Amino acid sequence: MAFSRGRGSSRGTRGSRRGGKGFRGRGNKKSTYHSARLEQPLERDSDESSPSSEGSVPASEQFAEEDVSEDEETPTNALPPYSTLLQSLAANTRNDTPRFKRRKIEHEGRATNDSPSSPEYQRNNGLENGGGDPDQVEVIEETGLEAETVLDDPDEEDCSQDSQLSVMTMKLMDTVSDPFQSHIAEPNEDALAKELHAVVRNNFDVTKSEHDKLWKVTIYVPAQGSRNQHSGGRIRGPDNLMLKSKLKDAVKSFKPNFNSLESNIATYVFGYQDLLQCTRTVGNAPGLREISCLHAVNHVFKTRDKVIKNNAKLAKDGSNDEELRDQGFTRPKVLILLPTRDACLKIVETITSICQPEQQENKKRFLDGYSETEEKFSTEKPEDFRDLFGGNDDDMFRIGLKFTRKTLKFFAQFYNSDIILASPLGLRMAIGMEKNQKQDHDFLSSIEILIVDHADALLMQNWEHVDYILQHLNLQPKEAHGCDFSRVRTWYLDGHARHLRQTIVFSSFNTPELNQVFSKHMLNVAGRVKMTPIMYEGEIHELHLPIRTKQTFSRFDAPSPTVDPDARFEYFATAIAPSLAKKPQKAPRPDLAGGGNGGGTLVFVPSYLDFVRLRNHFTTSSSLSSLSFGCISEYTSVRDVARARSHFLSGRHAVLLYTERAHHFRRYRIRGVGKVVFYGLPENPMFYREVVGGFLQMGGAGLEKSTLGGPGATSGGVRCLFSKWDVLKLERVLEDANIDPAVAALDNPDGAGETTMTVSGAEEILHDAHLGDSISINGTCLTITSFTSTSFTVGISPETLRRTNLGRLTAPTSRVNLERAVSGSTRMGGHFMQGHVDTVATILSVVPDGESALTFRMQPQDRRCLRYVVEKGYVALDGVSLTVTDVDDAAGWWEVMLITYTQEKVVIAGKRAGEEVNVEVDMVGKYVEKSVRGMLEGDEIGGGVLERVIGRIVDERLRKAGVGKE
């Protein structure tokens, strides 16, 4: 079974060259060192880290050895007096030390497998190739370990009773306040059991909040748990974090304070909560890297120090019966998934700036394989493209980082690494992909922090690899790998590691795949957090076309996501493809050097599977046999891409099929585009602006004018297909896709006569609907001409378009108010409305009134309506009955107020100054006016009451004066 890398074949050469090396791994050949420890190791066959477990030793022994391996320049007899005393005390108690503890201090007696002199021990610890005298190494390790631990740990036997009490109090406070202690090192067993019970049953308490009017934060915390939901204060800077002092000083030197976003992120990251952050940009990406890398390094250092201090306790008091649980099954604790080698380089640079190691082994080799100095792209390419692909864009890599007291080692074997950085493809190949291939994923069994950066870029590669890795995290290992099970944390042994693992995902936008990760793999007992924008600005508003372009969004019904591809294809084949075949094809223009022919149709296809389906349909369908088309996908060769673009520009191809991933990896500038059909909306919202605003603008010189859409419209335009399962894509393109209900399509195919409007998301009011029923849309009474269970279509006459704002709605940007006709069995609240719009009013201002109410000031286009608007009376705005709070006849405006409940139910609350609303005045005022006028002025039949009264008065006066009639 072959797996796709998700890249075009034009980029496959580099990946294949580096990927071939990845198969060999690093497990079959040991590192070869000269006698001097500080010399560079000899180069190995591969430039990739491997998961080889050969030579694995318990983590406690690894940390003990590394703690002194970097300090061998200190003579063994030049120890501090206090350390020498403790060493002598430890030597006196060596006979009482258990065997697994005695191996670190025993230098005499029989040569067992656990003793430093045994061949197996030397082989496991890399001492068989000139590693020096084992006894001397062991003495230095033990002595150096005790010296460092004793000097750092104030909890010693010679402390006074008061001093010991204060130390115990300090440690208790640290346990409570330090999330590492409360979540990883020493979780409360009773609270953990309750939280696990709630997580397994998906029982979460959910809170929602908004931060800085920019981000919407949803927090899920296990019900009945004791965790703090962190909905309040923020972490303002490194001083507010429980960091190792070395890290805090280093971070403060270049980041003394966090900005607003970093402050919010740090609250959840350092609280060990799962985080799905969907507001990543090129601008804030460095800050997100710094926060996540600081947390990862701090976690590794605290884990290492915990093991070293416990080793010191065992070495000092061999008969200590205290149960020390400080390890996992294997050493790697942090996994970082990244899309490219350049992204890996940025992460490593951030880590080194944080930890500031004195030495870096294999650093030059790392830079040679992961950096790329020459500029690859011009500034014409978008900023996000240059940020992602500007450096080494190889997506096949994996590397292990190992920390010792003074050194950061690159290309460490996975089982000896603290942090693993890899692309999904590279790590999956390391695990083993084929069923008949031996798989090794034990090195992922003890991952406690997973960081997925630039997840939106990973979606464009092959998300199946990410899903595969997530399924193999925190599984019980198949082999021991030198594990000391007496020191493995109990929640590892109980199989709960995945519920204490922290998962951090950074993405530029949210997708169904990320939502699945959030609900399926983010099962942390500390809770999980989703951060999204409160409202997307909408890429459709960023378009700057030289001429007005009609953009139509057509919704099709798809009952479920599984049938969505079939429903989408059926709609395209029946509603879109025939119009492409009927469109007259212009003769090829080989003489064209640019500018396009104005007739090309670009079909943008997000999915490669849909692309193949459409390509086959265009090839085999008899109705499209006369249609010439070209294809560009992520797998199309450079030569074929150039041919397809040339033929499309010259008019030889009337249709060009173009995939989203091809645009992601190449960002081609397609010329000759006269019309764009989105088979599906793009995942990346910027692609909509680049395709519509870029491609149409380049072909705009050849677009023909048309009178169908009014002055300045074009015969081309944009047609987008969507279903209710595309809501996440819609909100990124159209600002806010709360399309329940919303305009799904507004079409005038003939340019004259009746226009049709389709409204979707209206299932709540269609349960008893019938053809011919009246329904109010933004206060306009219209007749249903067709309907489904979720949508309906109405006809709109030219007179309605002139008198209302319906013709200015943009599908499906505009939400609408819907109301069925009143029945005789309902309560008559508000006032009677007929759905006959009198005029359109412009919103002059929107002013808050108190803490929650909004006051809208309206100015009607037809000021004659003002005589029907009175203070405390009624007026209908977009079909909503509202009470008039103030009127100024001279200035020509009135005001209404919307309370919080009304704001949540109607669309007018989301409108701004300058926008329009439909107005229907109180019909009772019209009836009264007509009645009074008829009574006073009369009509065709006879005079009015006033005329008759005046006539009688005049007659009476004349009669009295003797002038009247005889």
Side-chain angles (χ1 to χ4, degrees):
M1 178 179 179
F3 291 88
S4 164
R5 291 179 55 194
R7 302 285 298 274
S9 59
S10 59
R11 294 187 182 267
T13 304
R14 177 179 298 173
S16 300
R17 182 171 67 253
R18 297 193 183 276
K21 295 182 180 181
F23 281 103
R24 293 198 298 273
R26 295 170 61 85
N28 296 328
K29 187 172 181 179
K30 290 289 184 176
S31 302
T32 304
Y33 290 84
H34 297 289
S35 58
R37 283 294 185 99
L38 299 182
E39 293 185 13
Q40 291 293 332
L42 300 179
E43 293 296 329
R44 302 176 185 174
D45 295 336
S46 172
D47 68 340
E48 301 289 349
S49 299
S50 78
S52 174
S53 61
E54 182 179 345
S56 297
V57 294
S60 58
E61 300 175 19
Q62 290 187 35
F63 287 128
E65 295 162 5
E66 294 155 7
D67 185 61
V68 295
S69 64
E70 306 302 331
D71 199 23
E72 290 190 11
E73 295 179 358
T74 303
T76 58
N77 58 354
L79 298 174
Y82 190 65
S83 299
T84 305
L85 176 62
L86 289 178
Q87 182 180 358
S88 63
L89 293 175
N92 293 334
T93 60
R94 70 178 55 166
N95 293 330
D96 298 330
T97 305
R99 181 179 178 185
F100 73 92
K101 302 171 186 174
R102 187 169 63 244
R103 60 184 291 181
K104 285 298 176 184
I105 60 177
E106 183 179 73
H107 305 290
E108 298 178 357
R110 65 181 183 278
T112 63
N113 291 338
D114 291 333
S115 68
S117 60
S118 67
E120 181 177 348
Y121 181 85
Q122 294 184 20
R123 182 170 61 254
N124 289 343
N125 290 274
L127 302 175
E128 73 275 22
N129 295 324
D133 183 3
D135 287 345
Q136 183 181 11
V137 172
E138 291 301 310
V139 170
I140 293 175
E141 289 179 357
E142 189 66 333
T143 303
L145 172 62
E146 290 181 0
E148 180 190 23
T149 307
V150 169
L151 292 175
D152 289 345
D153 192 353
D155 189 14
E156 297 297 339
E157 295 179 357
D158 62 339
C159 294
S160 64
Q161 185 176 1
D162 294 339
S163 177
Q164 292 183 11
L165 181 60
S166 63
V167 169
M168 292 176 61
T169 305
M170 180 181 65
K171 288 188 173 183
L172 179 60
M173 293 176 62
D174 288 344
T175 302
V176 174
S177 60
D178 188 357
F180 174 81
Q181 293 290 336
S182 60
H183 183 73
I184 298 292
E186 301 174 11
N188 183 283
E189 295 185 1
D190 294 335
L192 180 60
K194 294 180 181 179
E195 291 164 348
L196 287 170
H197 184 270
V199 170
V200 171
R201 286 159 178 76
N202 197 30
N203 186 11
F204 290 91
D205 292 331
V206 182
T207 59
K208 297 181 179 181
S209 61
E210 295 181 358
H211 289 182
D212 299 331
K213 298 182 180 180
L214 295 174
W215 311 296
K216 179 172 59 179
V217 179
T218 307
I219 305 176
Y220 298 75
V221 176
Q224 300 178 350
S226 59
R227 306 272 179 169
N228 186 350
Q229 297 188 14
H230 301 291
S231 59
R234 304 174 185 174
I235 297 175
R236 303 295 181 180
D239 288 332
N240 303 124
L241 296 172
M242 301 291 292
L243 298 176
K244 301 293 294 181
S245 58
K246 176 183 177 181
L247 299 181
K248 181 176 293 187
D249 295 338
V251 173
K252 289 174 64 176
S253 64
F254 63 89
K255 184 178 281 295
N257 297 296
F258 298 155
N259 60 33
S260 179
L261 176 61
E262 294 165 355
S263 176
N264 279 281
I265 295 297
T267 302
Y268 310 117
V269 168
F270 286 91
Y272 282 89
Q273 292 179 295
D274 289 344
L275 174 64
L276 174 58
Q277 200 268 359
C278 301
T279 62
R280 184 188 187 278
T281 63
V282 176
N284 64 33
L288 299 181
R289 277 197 301 268
E290 291 167 351
I291 294 296
S292 58
C293 289
L294 176 61
H295 176 55
V297 174
N298 187 57
H299 179 83
V300 170
F301 280 17
K302 286 189 174 183
T303 301
R304 176 177 177 271
D305 289 353
K306 187 78 173 177
V307 173
I308 291 176
K309 289 185 179 181
N310 287 341
N311 287 348
K313 289 182 180 180
L314 294 176
K316 181 175 63 175
D317 187 4
S319 60
N320 189 356
D321 295 332
E322 181 182 358
E323 189 179 51
L324 301 177
R325 300 282 184 177
D326 54 9
Q327 302 173 19
F329 296 115
T330 55
R331 176 166 178 166
K333 291 295 178 287
V334 179
L335 173 63
I336 304 178
L337 296 180
L338 302 161
T340 64
R341 289 189 178 226
D342 183 67
C344 179
L345 175 64
K346 294 175 181 177
I347 289 288
V348 170
E349 290 176 344
T350 304
I351 290 176
T352 55
S353 66
I354 291 173
C355 65
Q356 298 181 354
E358 297 181 12
Q359 302 170 13
Q360 300 182 48
E361 291 188 8
N362 297 326
K363 179 64 178 292
K364 182 179 182 302
R365 179 173 155 201
F366 170 76
L367 294 177
D368 291 342
Y370 284 75
S371 64
E372 192 165 313
T373 57
E374 59 184 38
E375 190 71 23
K376 296 168 58 177
F377 306 108
S378 65
T379 55
E380 293 182 356
K381 293 290 186 180
E383 183 183 16
D384 67 302
F385 180 82
R386 287 183 277 116
D387 178 69
L388 179 59
F389 297 112
N392 190 329
D393 60 359
D394 185 14
D395 62 356
M396 164 60 199
F397 66 91
R398 53 183 180 269
I399 182 173
L401 300 182
K402 178 180 179 179
F403 292 90
T404 62
R405 190 166 53 134
K406 295 182 179 180
T407 303
L408 173 60
K409 299 182 179 181
F410 297 86
F411 300 103
Q413 293 181 357
F414 283 173
Y415 284 94
N416 296 326
S417 300
D418 296 300
I419 299 178
I420 297 174
L421 301 97
S423 65
L425 174 63
L427 190 59
R428 183 168 184 180
M429 293 180 65
I431 296 173
M433 298 189 297
E434 305 294 343
K435 292 184 178 179
N436 57 356
Q437 180 181 353
K438 182 179 179 180
Q439 296 184 345
D440 181 11
H441 49 75
D442 289 352
F443 60 90
L444 300 176
S445 62
S446 300
I447 296 296
E448 294 173 352
I449 297 178
L450 168 64
I451 300 174
V452 182
D453 192 16
H454 221 317
D456 48 303
L458 298 179
L459 284 164
M460 291 296 169
Q461 293 180 353
N462 193 332
W463 190 254
E464 182 185 353
H465 298 330
V466 178
D467 190 60
Y468 183 87
I469 293 169
L470 291 174
Q471 294 175 12
H472 287 79
L473 286 177
N474 301 116
L475 300 179
Q476 295 288 338
K478 299 178 182 178
E479 300 178 11
H481 303 286
C483 175
D484 184 355
F485 288 95
S486 65
R487 294 179 64 173
V488 175
R489 294 187 173 101
T490 55
W491 45 267
Y492 273 113
L493 300 175
D494 295 337
H496 299 314
R498 70 190 186 105
H499 295 304
L500 284 95
R501 180 192 74 231
Q502 182 185 28
T503 302
I504 303 170
V505 180
F506 296 125
S507 177
S508 300
F509 45 81
N510 196 11
T511 68
E513 292 84 356
L514 295 181
N515 276 335
Q516 184 183 32
V517 171
F518 185 79
S519 59
K520 182 178 179 181
H521 297 286
M522 292 187 176
L523 303 174
N524 193 341
V525 294
R528 60 191 183 193
V529 180
K530 181 186 293 186
M531 179 178 288
T532 57
I534 293 178
M535 180 179 290
Y536 288 92
E537 295 181 357
E539 292 296 326
I540 197 171
H541 302 299
E542 301 297 325
L543 297 176
H544 302 287
L545 296 174
I547 51 180
R548 196 176 67 177
T549 302
K550 181 180 178 181
Q551 301 176 60
T552 303
F553 291 76
S554 301
R555 174 169 174 168
F556 61 91
D557 291 326
S560 67
T562 56
V563 302
D564 182 272
D566 294 333
R568 189 182 301 271
F569 175 77
E570 183 67 22
Y571 186 89
F572 180 88
T574 57
I576 306 298
S579 63
L580 297 178
K582 293 178 182 179
K583 184 177 180 179
Q585 298 189 49
K586 295 186 178 181
R589 296 278 305 279
D591 57 310
L592 280 178
N597 57 21
T601 299
L602 179 79
V603 181
F604 187 91
V605 189
S607 168
Y608 181 76
L609 296 179
D610 289 334
F611 167 82
V612 173
R613 191 173 191 177
L614 286 181
R615 184 183 61 189
N616 295 339
H617 178 67
F618 275 87
T619 303
T620 60
S621 176
S622 58
S623 61
L624 302 177
S625 58
S626 61
L627 189 65
S628 175
F629 71 96
C631 300
I632 298 179
S633 73
E634 57 269 32
Y635 301 108
T636 306
S637 65
V638 176
R639 182 178 179 182
D640 291 340
V641 167
R643 182 185 297 111
R645 294 175 65 184
S646 176
H647 289 176
F648 183 70
L649 173 61
S650 65
R652 187 170 178 178
H653 289 333
V655 175
L656 180 65
L657 303 181
Y658 185 51
T659 65
E660 180 175 6
R661 290 167 73 185
H663 189 70
H664 169 78
F665 288 113
R666 295 300 184 187
R667 300 293 175 93
Y668 292 117
R669 294 173 63 85
I670 308 296
R671 290 185 171 274
V673 179
K675 181 178 181 180
V676 177
V677 176
F678 283 93
Y679 189 78
L681 287 169
E683 287 284 3
N684 191 331
M686 288 186 293
F687 293 174
Y688 185 89
R689 171 163 42 95
E690 293 172 6
V691 171
V692 176
F695 295 177
L696 283 180
Q697 186 171 2
M698 286 188 293
L703 291 178
E704 297 179 351
K705 297 287 182 174
S706 171
T707 59
L708 301 185
T714 69
S715 60
V718 181
R719 185 77 175 268
C720 301
L721 279 60
F722 74 97
S723 70
K724 64 181 180 181
W725 309 109
D726 295 326
V727 62
L728 293 178
K729 299 178 183 180
L730 281 170
E731 68 179 358
R732 296 192 287 269
V733 173
L734 302 170
E735 183 178 2
D736 189 2
N738 292 324
I739 56 172
D740 296 321
V743 181
L746 183 61
D747 296 321
N748 186 351
D750 300 326
E754 187 177 78
T755 298
T756 62
M757 174 186 288
T758 301
V759 179
S760 63
E763 54 270 14
E764 184 177 346
I765 65 170
L766 293 176
H767 60 279
D768 61 344
H770 301 85
L771 290 178
D773 281 359
S774 295
I775 192 166
S776 171
I777 301 178
N778 277 3
T780 307
C781 181
L782 298 170
T783 302
I784 298 177
T785 57
S786 65
F787 68 95
T788 66
S789 60
T790 60
S791 64
F792 66 91
T793 301
V794 295
I796 305 177
S797 66
E799 171 66 13
T800 303
L801 293 176
R802 286 191 294 267
R803 295 290 294 269
T804 69
N805 65 359
L806 297 183
R808 289 179 284 279
L809 298 179
T810 303
T813 303
S814 303
R815 299 166 61 199
V816 293
N817 294 324
L818 298 181
E819 186 177 9
R820 294 288 302 276
V822 67
S823 64
S825 60
T826 186
R827 293 185 179 273
M828 305 299 178
H831 74 284
F832 287 100
M833 295 180 293
Q834 296 175 305
H836 299 160
V837 177
D838 295 299
T839 186
V840 174
T842 302
I843 301 176
L844 295 180
S845 63
V846 181
V847 180
D849 190 342
E851 295 183 357
S852 57
L854 294 176
T855 297
F856 287 76
R857 178 171 292 183
M858 306 289 179
Q859 186 175 66
Q861 292 182 0
D862 186 355
R863 297 204 175 189
R864 292 176 297 178
C865 293
L866 279 167
R867 62 174 179 261
Y868 306 115
V869 180
V870 296
E871 188 176 357
K872 306 304 179 184
Y874 294 110
V875 66
L877 304 179
D878 275 348
V880 181
S881 175
L882 296 170
T883 302
V884 179
T885 59
D886 193 8
V887 183
D888 190 331
D889 293 321
W893 55 258
W894 72 78
E895 291 181 347
V896 296
M897 181 181 294
L898 270 65
I899 62 175
T900 302
Y901 179 82
T902 307
Q903 295 175 33
E904 296 173 351
K905 299 296 182 181
V906 301
V907 300
I908 189 177
K911 293 189 174 183
R912 306 167 185 171
E915 297 188 67
E916 297 177 342
V917 295
N918 295 327
V919 177
E920 180 183 353
V921 298
D922 190 355
M923 64 178 179
V924 176
K926 295 179 181 180
Y927 286 130
V928 171
E929 180 190 49
K930 185 174 182 179
S931 299
V932 172
R933 179 176 297 171
M935 292 178 63
L936 296 179
E937 298 179 0
D939 51 24
E940 296 84 358
I941 299 177
V945 174
L946 182 59
E947 181 181 356
R948 291 196 296 268
V949 170
I950 294 176
R952 290 175 183 173
I953 295 175
V954 172
D955 292 343
E956 183 66 23
R957 291 291 180 90
L958 291 175
R959 186 180 306 110
K960 290 181 178 180
V963 184
K965 297 179 181 180
E966 294 292 335

